[in-house]
Amino acid sequence: MKYLLIMIHNHQPIGNFKDVILKAFYNSYIPFLEKILKYKNINIALHTSGILFEFMEENNIKDYEDLIKELLKENRIELISGTFYEAVLPLIPEEDKINQIKKMNNYLSDKFNFTPKGIWLTERIWEPDLPKYIKKADIDYTLIDDNAFRKLGFDNKSLNHYYITENEGYPLNIFPIQKKLRYLIPFRDVNEVLSYIRSFDDDSNIFTYGDDGEKFGLWPGTYDYVYKNGYLDKFLSNLNQCEDIKTIKFIDILNKFPPKDRVYFNVSSYEEMEEWSNGNFRNFLSKYNESNKMHKRMLFFRNNINVENKEAYNHLLKSQCNDAYWHGIFGGLYLPHLREAIYEEILNGENSLNKRDFFKIEDFDKDGFSEIIFIGENFNLFLHQKGARVIEIDRIKDKKNLSNVITRYKESYHNKLLEEIDKKIVDDNEIKTIHNSFIIKDRNVVSYLKFDKYFKENFLIHFLNNLDDLKNSIPISEKFDYKILSSNKVEFYTNEINVTYEIDKKIKYNLRVPKKSDYLAVEMNLYFPEDRLKIEKNSIIFNIDDKEMYIKTENSYEILDEKIFTISSSESGIEKIYQGTTLFFIFYLKNDINLINMEIGDLYEK
């Protein structure tokens, strides 16, 4: 007898658009379970992220939960735990690892009277120390990709079992997710899937399929293919009638068979993720400055709240949702609304802080330089010694990171975009996996393809011999010394340049600089709606959530603006995304010593 384990993972990120999540439910998650319910010999395992469960409660969606309850009555479904808010375990503190999982365990127990024994690893990210924390959360097994096994020399036949590993004496059973099955189901003929399983001898009899539920109806072209054209009915009908292939739950396999052997794995994930991350998920933190800042901002928040404050701690757990921290076909780093959602959770959680209007000195972003961090009633500022720049501006009342922009990085698919843009489009009518397709949604996007030579942050200082130099200018990056002047004022200085920041209801910026060139530009990079900017002689007005803010200067020579667009790849194809606006406040340096003043505030408090 061959045993097929079917594991479906359903998840949408914190901050995703409501209509997108609803489409996922009604085009994928719900119709899939309806089909499973129809075929009485089919057993599955199901992981649903806590974000989706909370969305269902907030939007009174009952269908999905009712289907789960029906399948539980028939003993044909196993509910799988995970980090409740879909955090990547290696990126969060030890206590949070355990608490995220236990929060999901408790939810499944309370909602469905089900005690989960398995865990879905977010993005299937594996590191060797995880068994300890997973076992401490009362979990007996997990699934990792066969990629981890193949690195150790396992062949196809060896993958048709499950194994055991441990860390510090904490054991954990491991099922290998087979890439072959991920690429067969649902993209290849049903008979091809069944023939593959039957091709192995009787000693090789446990086949693990684990993948995203979105490929059954939400991926491009799959709704018609899977449901309207009958793929899933045909697949389940054939499987339902098989006498030599039986679908089974993971907990039943654990009770029926012992593990094949003890194995120790290296850091791993699925092959595509390893390609995007250069082998280790943590590399996103070095590849993308914005990913690192967001991650370290989450840790800064965690270190400055009392975890006994349940409301603040739950905001922390939400801020650990993985999607906005990385970029690949499914990663959301290039989606501003997902990054914004993370910062909103952090700033909402920090409302519990009693102490305000003070400076804190620490190496916040872990780059070897101490940052000067101001925690205020109206604004938070994260200031960096290199260039006396600002790497984060938080507007407290609206829970917004005004500096939520992203640098335009060169990605590997940009070369492919340039190669493909002039090719004739051919539609072969074949349903492909997202990994094998390259969809260009707008062939004009190539005109917006631009890459930055430095990180798009704030109060960046450029010295210019003429205005044409701005196109290729790089801001100063020398290290400034600093001194705290008062509870809300700090000075940065070198032998030649002085910068002061004073923060209360407004942010006041004063720059004292010699005539090192004819012009100087102060660069700002802010996120606000694309069409909500008004430029005047010495000021700009922009709109945040229908509230107007301003930046004003004195005696500026000119103010220039440039919209920031990224050209990025997602499951729907290559797309152009607005990421914010660059503003250059340009001043003519006419004196031996020049004084430049800028101010940011709310227009109605001007």
Side-chain angles (χ1 to χ4, degrees):
M1 177 69 70
K2 308 293 186 187
Y3 296 97
L4 176 61
L5 298 156
I6 298 176
M7 165 71 218
I8 301 298
H9 158 65
N10 293 335
H11 164 66
Q12 293 292 315
I14 288 277
N16 208 3
F17 299 124
K18 181 177 179 178
D19 61 330
V20 174
I21 302 177
L22 288 173
K23 184 178 180 181
F25 270 106
Y26 290 106
N27 279 26
S28 179
Y29 307 154
I30 290 172
F32 181 86
L33 291 182
E34 288 174 338
K35 294 297 184 185
I36 296 297
L37 189 62
K38 178 180 173 182
Y39 296 95
K40 301 303 181 181
N41 291 328
I42 302 297
N43 296 275
I44 66 165
L46 178 68
H47 171 256
T48 307
S49 70
I51 298 161
L52 289 180
F53 280 125
E54 290 189 344
F55 181 88
M56 285 185 274
E57 291 176 357
E58 292 164 4
N59 293 276
N60 198 31
I61 297 173
K62 301 294 186 182
D63 319 42
Y64 187 83
E65 292 182 2
D66 289 344
L67 287 163
I68 290 175
K69 290 174 181 177
E70 282 298 313
L71 288 165
L72 283 170
K73 284 181 185 177
E74 297 180 8
N75 195 29
R76 295 200 290 119
I77 193 170
E78 177 182 357
L79 301 183
I80 304 298
S81 188
T83 50
F84 193 87
Y85 293 111
E86 207 66 8
V88 170
L89 283 172
L91 293 194
I92 63 176
E94 177 177 344
E95 185 178 7
D96 300 348
K97 288 178 171 66
I98 298 168
N99 288 342
Q100 282 266 14
I101 301 170
K102 284 189 172 182
K103 183 177 176 68
M104 178 62 87
N105 295 351
N106 293 337
Y107 185 93
L108 295 178
S109 177
D110 294 342
K111 174 72 76 172
F112 299 105
N113 193 30
F114 187 93
T115 301
K117 302 312 293 181
I119 182 178
W120 178 263
L121 289 177
T122 299
E123 295 305 326
R124 285 114 71 186
I125 306 300
W126 173 264
E127 291 193 3
D129 65 337
L130 290 183
K132 175 181 178 181
Y133 311 116
I134 294 172
K135 194 66 178 179
K136 280 187 172 183
D138 303 319
I139 296 296
D140 292 338
Y141 75 86
T142 191
L143 299 74
I144 65 175
D145 281 76
D146 61 6
N147 183 40
F149 290 80
R150 294 186 187 281
K151 290 177 183 177
L152 302 178
F154 282 64
D155 59 17
N156 287 343
K157 182 178 178 180
S158 301
L159 297 174
N160 301 328
H161 302 277
Y162 79 94
Y163 295 82
I164 193 167
T165 190
E166 59 84 27
N167 177 246
E168 296 185 31
Y170 291 88
L172 189 68
N173 295 298
I174 306 288
F175 288 84
I177 298 173
Q178 296 191 24
K179 180 180 178 181
K180 177 73 172 180
L181 289 176
R182 285 201 299 116
Y183 274 66
L184 286 173
I185 306 171
F187 304 106
R188 308 300 297 178
D189 184 80
V190 174
N191 290 325
E192 187 175 342
V193 178
L194 300 180
S195 295
Y196 173 75
I197 294 173
R198 289 173 174 139
S199 68
F200 294 87
D201 61 37
D202 290 341
D203 185 49
S204 183
N205 62 352
I206 300 172
F207 297 80
T208 303
Y209 172 83
D211 214 341
D212 300 337
E214 292 81 14
K215 73 194 311 183
F216 296 92
L218 198 62
W219 284 15
T222 58
Y223 182 77
D224 286 348
Y225 174 72
V226 169
Y227 298 110
K228 289 186 177 181
N229 297 341
Y231 177 90
L232 190 55
D233 271 315
K234 185 178 179 182
F235 177 75
L236 295 176
S237 176
N238 275 264
L239 200 54
N240 195 59
Q241 298 172 42
C242 281
E243 296 183 356
D244 58 336
I245 301 174
K246 179 181 179 180
T247 59
I248 192 170
K249 300 188 292 294
F250 289 85
I251 48 178
D252 293 334
I253 284 288
L254 292 175
N255 291 329
K256 191 176 184 67
F257 299 103
K260 180 73 172 176
D261 205 347
R262 183 176 60 255
V263 184
Y264 294 88
F265 303 98
N266 300 318
V267 172
S268 72
S269 181
Y270 51 96
E271 286 187 64
E272 299 89 349
M273 175 61 80
E274 292 194 5
E275 178 183 345
W276 300 328
S277 64
N278 297 320
N280 187 327
F281 190 87
R282 294 173 187 261
N283 285 332
F284 287 118
L285 305 180
S286 58
K287 186 176 181 181
Y288 300 104
N289 185 49
E290 294 77 11
S291 175
N292 183 62
K293 284 192 294 187
M294 190 159 37
H295 177 251
K296 302 310 182 289
R297 185 69 175 88
M298 176 271 291
L299 293 178
F300 179 83
F301 166 36
R302 205 256 188 243
N303 292 333
N304 286 280
I305 61 166
N306 184 346
V307 296
E308 299 302 318
N309 181 330
K310 292 183 179 179
E311 181 180 355
Y313 188 61
N314 204 56
H315 282 298
L316 170 76
L317 298 182
K318 287 183 177 181
S319 76
Q320 295 170 345
C321 178
N322 79 93
D323 305 75
Y325 288 92
W326 62 279
H327 176 60
I329 289 179
F330 307 107
L333 180 64
Y334 279 109
L335 299 177
H337 62 287
L338 297 190
R339 300 195 307 268
E340 183 175 63
I342 299 300
Y343 284 110
E344 285 186 359
E345 293 298 339
I346 291 169
L347 292 169
N348 270 311
E350 286 180 340
N351 273 341
S352 63
L353 292 175
N354 295 320
K355 187 178 180 183
R356 295 283 184 177
D357 293 333
F358 69 97
F359 285 101
K360 184 179 180 68
I361 313 300
E362 68 173 69
D363 182 7
F364 150 76
D365 58 0
K366 310 308 175 192
D367 67 346
F369 294 87
S370 291
E371 280 75 53
I372 297 82
I373 302 165
F374 178 77
I375 304 298
E377 291 286 347
N378 300 287
F379 294 97
N380 296 334
L381 251 64
F382 288 68
L383 302 126
H384 202 287
Q385 291 183 69
K386 293 185 71 175
R389 70 190 195 271
V390 175
I391 61 177
E392 182 174 328
I393 306 172
D394 298 325
R395 189 171 186 248
I396 303 303
K397 65 177 66 177
D398 294 319
K399 314 300 183 295
K400 299 290 184 185
N401 174 5
L402 300 182
S403 50
N404 177 29
V405 301
I406 192 166
T407 303
R408 289 164 291 195
Y409 296 92
K410 185 173 178 59
E411 304 286 358
S412 59
Y413 52 76
H414 287 142
N415 291 330
K416 187 173 182 181
L417 169 64
L418 295 173
E419 292 171 2
E420 295 286 331
I421 202 70
D422 293 325
K423 288 183 179 179
K424 182 180 179 181
I425 300 175
V426 177
D427 182 7
D428 57 10
N429 293 317
E430 180 184 355
I431 297 296
K432 300 178 180 179
T433 76
I434 283 176
H435 307 293
N436 291 337
S437 61
F438 192 77
I439 303 168
I440 302 172
K441 297 169 70 174
D442 178 1
R443 298 177 74 79
N444 294 321
V445 296
V446 70
S447 63
Y448 292 90
L449 201 57
K450 183 175 180 179
F451 310 114
D452 294 309
K453 299 177 181 178
Y454 54 89
F455 299 136
K456 303 301 281 185
E457 295 173 327
N458 283 281
F459 293 103
L460 306 178
I461 300 170
H462 298 256
F463 287 99
L464 310 169
N465 291 318
N466 57 68
L467 296 186
D468 288 339
D469 287 350
L470 195 57
K471 292 182 294 186
N472 298 308
S473 177
I474 295 176
I476 65 170
S477 59
E478 59 191 293
K479 181 182 177 182
F480 281 64
D481 291 319
Y482 70 91
K483 55 185 174 183
I484 307 297
L485 301 178
S486 70
S487 63
N488 68 331
K489 190 173 183 178
V490 61
E491 178 185 8
F492 292 84
Y493 56 91
T494 66
N495 291 333
E496 296 182 302
I497 304 172
N498 284 69
V499 177
T500 61
Y501 293 91
E502 185 176 359
I503 312 104
D504 43 44
K505 290 185 177 180
K506 306 168 184 177
I507 300 172
K508 296 177 181 178
Y509 172 84
N510 299 292
L511 171 63
R512 184 176 183 272
V513 62
K515 184 177 173 59
K516 298 180 67 173
S517 60
D518 289 335
Y519 298 92
L520 180 140
V522 177
E523 178 182 349
M524 303 292 291
N525 293 282
L526 302 173
Y527 186 80
F528 49 80
E530 187 176 349
D531 57 350
R532 301 294 181 89
L533 173 66
K534 181 181 178 181
I535 299 178
E536 299 177 346
K537 171 60 179 172
N538 285 305
S539 66
I540 65 131
I541 298 171
F542 60 96
N543 187 290
I544 299 288
D545 287 348
D546 296 323
K547 298 172 185 176
E548 291 183 317
M549 296 189 69
Y550 71 89
I551 303 178
K552 71 175 184 179
T553 70
E554 297 175 2
N555 302 318
S556 61
Y557 178 83
E558 190 173 5
I559 301 174
L560 302 175
D561 69 296
E562 177 191 10
K563 294 175 182 177
I564 304 169
F565 291 101
T566 54
I567 310 303
S568 57
S569 179
S570 71
E571 61 264 39
S572 60
I574 298 290
E575 57 189 354
K576 178 184 76 171
I577 301 175
Y578 170 72
Q579 299 287 355
T581 296
T582 298
L583 297 157
F584 292 102
F585 295 82
I586 299 172
F587 301 88
Y588 179 58
L589 301 181
K590 57 185 178 181
N591 303 316
D592 290 340
I593 299 296
N594 300 270
L595 300 177
I596 292 168
N597 302 309
M598 295 174 63
E599 182 179 284
I600 302 178
D602 292 341
L603 189 63
Y604 58 85
E605 292 181 350
K606 187 175 177 181

Short mmCIF file of all heavy atoms in Angstrom, two decimals, residues 124-127 143-154 159 174-177 263-271 274:
data_model
loop_
_atom_site.label_atom_id
_atom_site.label_comp_id
_atom_site.label_asym_id
_atom_site.label_seq_id
_atom_site.Cartn_x
_atom_site.Cartn_y
_atom_site.Cartn_z
N ARG A 124 8.75 27.29 5.08
CA ARG A 124 9.53 26.05 5.25
C ARG A 124 11.01 26.36 5.57
O ARG A 124 11.94 25.71 5.08
CB ARG A 124 9.43 25.18 3.99
CG ARG A 124 8.09 24.49 3.92
CD ARG A 124 7.22 24.93 2.79
NE ARG A 124 7.73 24.45 1.49
CZ ARG A 124 7.18 24.83 0.34
NH1 ARG A 124 6.15 25.65 0.33
NH2 ARG A 124 7.66 24.36 -0.80
N ILE A 125 11.20 27.40 6.40
CA ILE A 125 12.55 27.80 6.81
C ILE A 125 13.00 26.91 7.96
O ILE A 125 12.41 26.90 9.04
CB ILE A 125 12.60 29.27 7.25
CG1 ILE A 125 12.03 30.18 6.16
CG2 ILE A 125 14.04 29.66 7.60
CD1 ILE A 125 12.74 30.13 4.84
N TRP A 126 14.07 26.15 7.72
CA TRP A 126 14.61 25.23 8.72
C TRP A 126 15.99 25.66 9.16
O TRP A 126 16.84 26.01 8.34
CB TRP A 126 14.69 23.81 8.15
CG TRP A 126 15.39 22.85 9.08
CD1 TRP A 126 16.71 22.49 9.06
CD2 TRP A 126 14.80 22.19 10.20
NE1 TRP A 126 16.97 21.62 10.09
CE2 TRP A 126 15.81 21.42 10.81
CE3 TRP A 126 13.51 22.16 10.73
CZ2 TRP A 126 15.57 20.64 11.93
CZ3 TRP A 126 13.28 21.37 11.85
CH2 TRP A 126 14.31 20.63 12.43
N GLU A 127 16.20 25.65 10.49
CA GLU A 127 17.54 25.80 11.06
C GLU A 127 17.70 24.72 12.13
O GLU A 127 16.71 24.32 12.77
CB GLU A 127 17.76 27.20 11.62
CG GLU A 127 17.82 28.26 10.51
CD GLU A 127 18.36 29.60 10.98
OE1 GLU A 127 18.74 29.72 12.17
OE2 GLU A 127 18.40 30.54 10.16
N LEU A 143 7.22 19.48 8.61
CA LEU A 143 7.54 19.13 7.22
C LEU A 143 8.63 20.09 6.74
O LEU A 143 8.54 21.30 6.99
CB LEU A 143 6.33 19.28 6.29
CG LEU A 143 5.07 18.46 6.53
CD1 LEU A 143 4.28 18.94 7.73
CD2 LEU A 143 4.18 18.52 5.29
N ILE A 144 9.65 19.56 6.09
CA ILE A 144 10.62 20.42 5.42
C ILE A 144 10.82 19.89 4.00
O ILE A 144 10.48 18.75 3.69
CB ILE A 144 11.96 20.51 6.18
CG1 ILE A 144 12.68 19.16 6.20
CG2 ILE A 144 11.75 21.03 7.59
CD1 ILE A 144 14.07 19.24 6.83
N ASP A 145 11.35 20.72 3.15
CA ASP A 145 11.46 20.34 1.75
C ASP A 145 12.52 19.29 1.52
O ASP A 145 13.55 19.24 2.22
CB ASP A 145 11.74 21.58 0.91
CG ASP A 145 10.48 22.37 0.67
OD1 ASP A 145 10.03 23.06 1.61
OD2 ASP A 145 9.92 22.28 -0.42
N ASP A 146 12.29 18.47 0.50
CA ASP A 146 13.24 17.39 0.19
C ASP A 146 14.60 17.94 -0.18
O ASP A 146 15.61 17.23 -0.16
CB ASP A 146 12.70 16.48 -0.91
CG ASP A 146 12.45 17.19 -2.23
OD1 ASP A 146 12.79 18.37 -2.38
OD2 ASP A 146 11.89 16.53 -3.14
N ASN A 147 14.65 19.23 -0.49
CA ASN A 147 15.92 19.90 -0.76
C ASN A 147 16.92 19.68 0.37
O ASN A 147 18.11 19.46 0.14
CB ASN A 147 15.64 21.40 -0.97
CG ASN A 147 16.85 22.20 -1.32
OD1 ASN A 147 17.68 21.76 -2.10
ND2 ASN A 147 16.96 23.38 -0.75
N ALA A 148 16.44 19.73 1.62
CA ALA A 148 17.31 19.52 2.78
C ALA A 148 17.87 18.11 2.80
O ALA A 148 19.02 17.87 3.20
CB ALA A 148 16.54 19.81 4.07
N PHE A 149 17.06 17.14 2.39
CA PHE A 149 17.49 15.74 2.34
C PHE A 149 18.49 15.50 1.21
O PHE A 149 19.47 14.77 1.36
CB PHE A 149 16.27 14.83 2.16
CG PHE A 149 15.36 14.76 3.34
CD1 PHE A 149 14.44 15.76 3.59
CD2 PHE A 149 15.41 13.68 4.21
CE1 PHE A 149 13.58 15.69 4.67
CE2 PHE A 149 14.55 13.59 5.30
CZ PHE A 149 13.64 14.60 5.54
N ARG A 150 18.20 16.11 0.07
CA ARG A 150 19.07 15.89 -1.10
C ARG A 150 20.47 16.44 -0.86
O ARG A 150 21.45 15.90 -1.37
CB ARG A 150 18.45 16.53 -2.34
CG ARG A 150 17.15 15.85 -2.77
CD ARG A 150 16.62 16.39 -4.08
NE ARG A 150 15.30 15.86 -4.39
CZ ARG A 150 15.07 14.66 -4.89
NH1 ARG A 150 16.09 13.84 -5.13
NH2 ARG A 150 13.85 14.25 -5.15
N LYS A 151 20.57 17.49 -0.07
CA LYS A 151 21.90 18.03 0.27
C LYS A 151 22.73 17.00 1.04
O LYS A 151 23.96 17.08 1.05
CB LYS A 151 21.75 19.30 1.10
CG LYS A 151 21.21 20.50 0.34
CD LYS A 151 21.04 21.68 1.29
CE LYS A 151 20.44 22.87 0.59
NZ LYS A 151 20.21 24.01 1.52
N LEU A 152 22.04 16.08 1.70
CA LEU A 152 22.72 15.03 2.46
C LEU A 152 22.89 13.74 1.66
O LEU A 152 23.36 12.74 2.18
CB LEU A 152 21.95 14.73 3.74
CG LEU A 152 21.74 15.92 4.70
CD1 LEU A 152 20.92 15.47 5.91
CD2 LEU A 152 23.07 16.50 5.16
N GLY A 153 22.49 13.77 0.39
CA GLY A 153 22.69 12.61 -0.48
C GLY A 153 21.52 11.68 -0.61
O GLY A 153 21.66 10.59 -1.18
N PHE A 154 20.35 12.06 -0.10
CA PHE A 154 19.17 11.20 -0.21
C PHE A 154 18.72 11.12 -1.67
O PHE A 154 18.71 12.12 -2.39
CB PHE A 154 18.02 11.75 0.63
CG PHE A 154 18.15 11.48 2.11
CD1 PHE A 154 19.19 12.02 2.85
CD2 PHE A 154 17.23 10.68 2.77
CE1 PHE A 154 19.31 11.78 4.20
CE2 PHE A 154 17.33 10.43 4.12
CZ PHE A 154 18.38 10.98 4.85
N LEU A 159 13.23 9.37 0.02
CA LEU A 159 12.33 10.43 0.42
C LEU A 159 10.94 9.91 0.79
O LEU A 159 10.15 10.65 1.37
CB LEU A 159 12.19 11.47 -0.70
CG LEU A 159 13.47 12.22 -1.08
CD1 LEU A 159 13.22 13.09 -2.30
CD2 LEU A 159 13.96 13.07 0.09
N ILE A 174 10.32 14.41 11.13
CA ILE A 174 10.42 15.25 9.93
C ILE A 174 9.89 14.50 8.71
O ILE A 174 10.34 13.39 8.41
CB ILE A 174 11.88 15.66 9.65
CG1 ILE A 174 12.52 16.33 10.88
CG2 ILE A 174 11.95 16.56 8.43
CD1 ILE A 174 12.02 17.71 11.18
N PHE A 175 8.93 15.12 8.02
CA PHE A 175 8.42 14.57 6.76
C PHE A 175 8.99 15.39 5.60
O PHE A 175 8.93 16.63 5.63
CB PHE A 175 6.90 14.64 6.72
CG PHE A 175 6.22 13.67 7.63
CD1 PHE A 175 6.02 13.96 8.98
CD2 PHE A 175 5.77 12.45 7.15
CE1 PHE A 175 5.40 13.06 9.83
CE2 PHE A 175 5.13 11.54 7.99
CZ PHE A 175 4.96 11.84 9.33
N PRO A 176 9.54 14.72 4.58
CA PRO A 176 10.10 15.46 3.43
C PRO A 176 9.03 15.83 2.40
O PRO A 176 8.40 14.94 1.81
CB PRO A 176 11.11 14.47 2.84
CG PRO A 176 10.60 13.13 3.24
CD PRO A 176 9.83 13.28 4.51
N ILE A 177 8.80 17.11 2.19
CA ILE A 177 7.89 17.57 1.13
C ILE A 177 8.58 17.33 -0.21
O ILE A 177 9.68 17.82 -0.45
CB ILE A 177 7.57 19.07 1.29
CG1 ILE A 177 6.86 19.34 2.61
CG2 ILE A 177 6.72 19.56 0.12
CD1 ILE A 177 6.68 20.81 2.91
N VAL A 263 18.36 11.85 11.46
CA VAL A 263 19.06 12.68 10.47
C VAL A 263 19.24 14.09 11.05
O VAL A 263 18.38 14.58 11.79
CB VAL A 263 18.25 12.78 9.15
CG1 VAL A 263 19.03 13.58 8.11
CG2 VAL A 263 17.92 11.40 8.62
N TYR A 264 20.35 14.73 10.69
CA TYR A 264 20.60 16.12 11.09
C TYR A 264 20.74 16.98 9.83
O TYR A 264 21.56 16.69 8.96
CB TYR A 264 21.87 16.21 11.95
CG TYR A 264 21.71 15.51 13.28
CD1 TYR A 264 22.00 14.15 13.41
CD2 TYR A 264 21.22 16.19 14.39
CE1 TYR A 264 21.83 13.50 14.62
CE2 TYR A 264 21.05 15.54 15.61
CZ TYR A 264 21.35 14.21 15.72
OH TYR A 264 21.17 13.55 16.92
N PHE A 265 19.94 18.03 9.76
CA PHE A 265 19.85 18.83 8.54
C PHE A 265 20.57 20.16 8.69
O PHE A 265 20.66 20.73 9.77
CB PHE A 265 18.38 19.11 8.20
CG PHE A 265 17.55 17.86 8.04
CD1 PHE A 265 16.76 17.41 9.08
CD2 PHE A 265 17.58 17.15 6.86
CE1 PHE A 265 16.01 16.25 8.95
CE2 PHE A 265 16.83 15.99 6.71
CZ PHE A 265 16.04 15.54 7.76
N ASN A 266 21.02 20.66 7.56
CA ASN A 266 21.58 22.00 7.50
C ASN A 266 20.47 23.04 7.37
O ASN A 266 19.30 22.70 7.22
CB ASN A 266 22.53 22.12 6.31
CG ASN A 266 23.67 21.14 6.39
OD1 ASN A 266 24.25 20.94 7.45
ND2 ASN A 266 24.01 20.51 5.28
N VAL A 267 20.84 24.31 7.40
CA VAL A 267 19.88 25.39 7.12
C VAL A 267 19.29 25.15 5.73
O VAL A 267 20.01 24.85 4.78
CB VAL A 267 20.58 26.76 7.15
CG1 VAL A 267 19.66 27.86 6.66
CG2 VAL A 267 21.08 27.06 8.56
N SER A 268 17.95 25.25 5.62
CA SER A 268 17.35 24.97 4.31
C SER A 268 15.97 25.59 4.19
O SER A 268 15.36 26.04 5.16
CB SER A 268 17.24 23.45 4.10
OG SER A 268 16.22 22.91 4.92
N SER A 269 15.48 25.58 2.96
CA SER A 269 14.10 25.89 2.63
C SER A 269 13.82 25.24 1.28
O SER A 269 14.62 24.40 0.82
CB SER A 269 13.86 27.40 2.58
OG SER A 269 12.50 27.67 2.29
N TYR A 270 12.73 25.64 0.62
CA TYR A 270 12.50 25.11 -0.72
C TYR A 270 13.50 25.77 -1.68
O TYR A 270 14.05 26.84 -1.41
CB TYR A 270 11.06 25.31 -1.17
CG TYR A 270 10.48 26.70 -1.04
CD1 TYR A 270 10.45 27.58 -2.11
CD2 TYR A 270 9.91 27.12 0.16
CE1 TYR A 270 9.89 28.83 -2.01
CE2 TYR A 270 9.35 28.38 0.28
CZ TYR A 270 9.34 29.24 -0.81
OH TYR A 270 8.78 30.50 -0.69
N GLU A 271 13.76 25.10 -2.78
CA GLU A 271 14.84 25.53 -3.68
C GLU A 271 14.65 26.95 -4.18
O GLU A 271 15.62 27.71 -4.29
CB GLU A 271 14.96 24.56 -4.86
CG GLU A 271 15.58 23.21 -4.50
CD GLU A 271 15.83 22.35 -5.72
OE1 GLU A 271 16.64 22.75 -6.56
OE2 GLU A 271 15.20 21.29 -5.84
N GLU A 274 15.69 29.39 -1.56
CA GLU A 274 17.14 29.44 -1.41
C GLU A 274 17.79 30.23 -2.55
O GLU A 274 18.81 30.89 -2.36
CB GLU A 274 17.71 28.02 -1.33
CG GLU A 274 17.31 27.31 -0.05
CD GLU A 274 18.13 26.06 0.20
OE1 GLU A 274 19.07 25.77 -0.56
OE2 GLU A 274 17.82 25.36 1.18
#
